[in-house]
Amino acid sequence: MERRRQARGERRMAEILDAAADAFAELGYEKASTNAIAARAGISPGSLYQFFPSKEAVARALADRFVTDMRAAHASAFGGADVAGMDLGELLDLVVDPLVAFNLANPGFKALFARPDMPSALAESSQPIQAAMLGQVESILDARVPGLAPADRARSARVLVRVFQAMTPLVAAAPEEERPAEIAELKRVLGGYLTSLSA
Amino acid sequence: MERRRQARGERRMAEILDAAADAFAELGYEKASTNAIAARAGISPGSLYQFFPSKEAVARALADRFVTDMRAAHASAFGGADVAGMDLGELLDLVVDPLVAFNLANPGFKALFARPDMPSALAESSQPIQAAMLGQVESILDARVPGLAPADRARSARVLVRVFQAMTPLVAAAPEEERPAEIAELKRVLGGYLTSLSA
DNA sequence: GATTTTTGCGAGCAATCGCTCGCGTTTGAA
DNA sequence: TTCAAACGCGAGCGATTGCTCGCAAAAATC
């Protein structure tokens, strides 16, 4: 049932997603009304529904865009590095810095993915990226802490991802000059946990 | 403007808070409508408003009750222990276990305090307990990591509290038989960070 | 027993939500 | 140039929200 889009329409869709990202970041998912999103995009409510059948579809499309961008940013920073033989500090810099930068550059990201009350379809959208991240963290764990049982490795990966997600808002909320210190603490938490696992 | 309450009324108020805790835990703050809370308490919407002037007042009263209970649970477990001379594992058990138990026993707690979109008046209610917890964590830090500058100590306390808050839902979501392992990971994260601070 | 206050009800109000509909304008293909 | 399809509008629908109001039963006070 794909609809034929004009170039103008594709542009509008991108603008709507930009507006939705703004609104979600500022108001949260529930309080960001479709009328408000449309107003931020400079269009009428009816026009929004010409491109997306529902608010949830807008969120899903935005989530997909975030996932794509995130994967690109992460892959480009990760490009075939020697995870096993690397200094722990170097590894943390390599992994954490681009992810933090992505989160800072896309304030709407966590509003979509970190909410406990999101519609189930959104959780489906976020599942691939979550699984991909967990997988990558598990492969790092495999290289750095070889003796780990699979169940323990999966649990530790969940812990690491969770801690990262929890600390990111702290970094984002800190004033500009405090950010390096907050990022250092984030790396200290992750590094401390990793060394504790190896012991 | 205090209103005279009968014993029956006081009981009703407690029942309403119980119902609100249930509803907030299950549906989240926004989706827990006042009519739903009243229905769970077995009363009519009008009756609810005889005891609380607004939904926010219900949440504030519930938050106050949580704060009181939490403080009691925490103080009783903390009763004048030798924080400085203690083994790190012992210290973590002493501090973490009662807090985890409280969070598991009160599922509505995090629904009220962990939401980024709560009304500002609720944030005021949660501020005393947050400040108290941060203060206690800072005093522990003072004893265990003496060389820390005040700003760093405050930052580290924020990190520790944040990590705890982030891990608790992981513990709560885990199946019963996995909980000890999840709690062990929580302690490992906190312990790893603390030892990394001392180094 | 008489009176006031508290407790209790549930229909329904005003506001807001996601979303639709009717109709006009612009665009691209023929 | 024609015409169907895509784009665009904004009033407003049906549902839901937090909350009110008029009125009745129960309890406390006299």
Side-chain angles (χ1 to χ4, degrees), chain A residues 95-105 164 168 171 179 183 186:
Chain A
V95 174
V96 169
D97 287 338
L99 286 179
V100 167
F102 180 85
N103 272 272
L104 290 179
F164 179 87
T168 305
V171 174
R179 284 213 184 128
I183 294 174
L186 165 56

Side-chain angles (χ1 to χ4, degrees), chain A residues 27 179-180 187:
Chain A
L27 307 168
R179 284 213 184 128
K187 290 175 185 171

Side-chain angles (χ1 to χ4, degrees), chain A residues 30-31 115-117 155-156 158-159 162-163 166-167 169-170 178 181-182 185 188-189 192-193 196-197, chain B residues 27 30-31 115-117 155-156 158-159 162-163 166-167 169-170 178 181-182 185 188-189 192-193 196-197:
Chain A
E30 310 284 352
K31 300 211 148 188
R115 306 217 15 139
D117 57 342
R155 187 181 6 253
S156 291
R158 281 199 304 272
V159 168
R162 187 78 175 196
V163 167
M167 292 284 297
L170 231 54
E178 295 277 345
E182 297 285 344
E185 292 312 289
R188 195 194 289 276
V189 177
Y193 180 68
S196 165
L197 274 182
Chain B
L27 307 169
E30 310 284 351
K31 299 213 147 186
R115 310 218 11 141
D117 57 343
R155 187 179 8 253
S156 292
R158 281 200 304 272
V159 168
R162 187 78 176 194
V163 167
M167 293 284 297
L170 231 54
E178 296 277 345
E182 297 285 344
E185 292 313 289
R188 194 194 290 277
V189 177
Y193 179 69
S196 165
L197 274 181

Side-chain angles (χ1 to χ4, degrees), chain A residues 141-162:
Chain A
L141 278 172
D142 217 19
R144 312 280 313 189
V145 194
L148 226 49
D152 293 338
R153 197 198 309 144
R155 187 181 6 253
S156 291
R158 281 199 304 272
V159 168
L160 287 165
V161 169
R162 187 78 175 196

